[in-house]
Amino acid sequence: MAILLDRTCRLVVQGITGREGSFHARISREFGTNVVAGVTPGRGGANVEGVPVFNTVEQAVRETGANTSLVSVPAAGVADAIVEAADAGISLIVCIADGVPTLDMVKVKPYLAKRGARLIGPNCPGVTSPGEKARVGIMPTYMFRPGGVGVVSRSGTLTYEAVALLTHNGLGQSTAVGIGGDPVNGTNFIEVLAMFEADPETQAIVLVGEIGGTAEEDAAAFIKEHVTKPVVAFIAGRSAPPGRRMGHAGAIISGGTGTAESKVAALEAAGAVVVDTHVKLGETMARVLRERGISA
């Protein structure tokens, strides 16, 4: 079992005729994902490696039954693309584009809530459920192995670094979710943690955070009250020079909040095992599971 993505996924790729859209549509299909349609305005009637292209998402949904969207369009067009997908009835929208204006997301997020659609991203690597053969986003696929560890991360690259380290230590994954590092994103740590906690096949959770904002402190409070499964965590940016803005747009430290120290302290107080370097994520999770007699 997995969260967010399973074998019922019928994927439409918005921007499929672009370089990134066509490439990742092919990789997702090779992984086993049911890629049923693409959308590029003005290119309806074409096809990309056998995938039919439509002018609008509404046409794609009507003709193919698409229920999930990958938004792979330039940042300036992301807000309109997300709204179009929600209006067409798409329930899960994954946006990989970076550089999306924050004010666009401030307007889009409440709009999606009214439509009952969930957004992952923007500026994220997407979602992959290896046991369900479902991948929506840009994650490399060769390191995945089906299993019982859920992964949630603000960092794109560290999402698949964590997956690779788990697999190297003999641990499979239920679902990997990259939520993105922008200040305003569609889905946060707490929402994903709640899904992993409710998923009977997820035995443990890896959480990768980074400096800036309070998302990790908020996640820690949720873990303390609601998560019964082992959590191994890492906070990126511990060595960032004080006073310098680095990394994601969300990685902004203000006052005494958002520091690596405050996030590590909050997570440890919540019962999570926090490692000081990401390369220890896999071996530490393996040790924690052995100590607790859990097979993942």
Side-chain angles (χ1 to χ4, degrees), residues 155 199 237 249 266 279 295:
S155 166
D199 176 24
V279 299
S295 174

Side-chain angles (χ1 to χ4, degrees), residues 220-221 223-225 261-274:
I223 290 169
K224 186 174 184 177
E225 296 295 326
E261 291 76 13
S262 68
K263 294 173 187 297
V264 170
L267 286 163
E268 288 181 338
V273 178
V274 184

Side-chain angles (χ1 to χ4, degrees), residues 110-130:
Y111 188 85
L112 294 180
K114 293 178 182 176
R115 292 291 189 277
R118 176 175 296 281
L119 172 67
I120 306 294
N123 191 16
C124 80
V127 184
T128 301
S129 297

Side-chain angles (χ1 to χ4, degrees), residues 211-214 217 252-260 262-263:
I211 58 173
T214 61
E217 288 89 339
I252 300 171
I253 298 172
S254 59
T257 64
T259 65
S262 68
K263 294 173 187 297

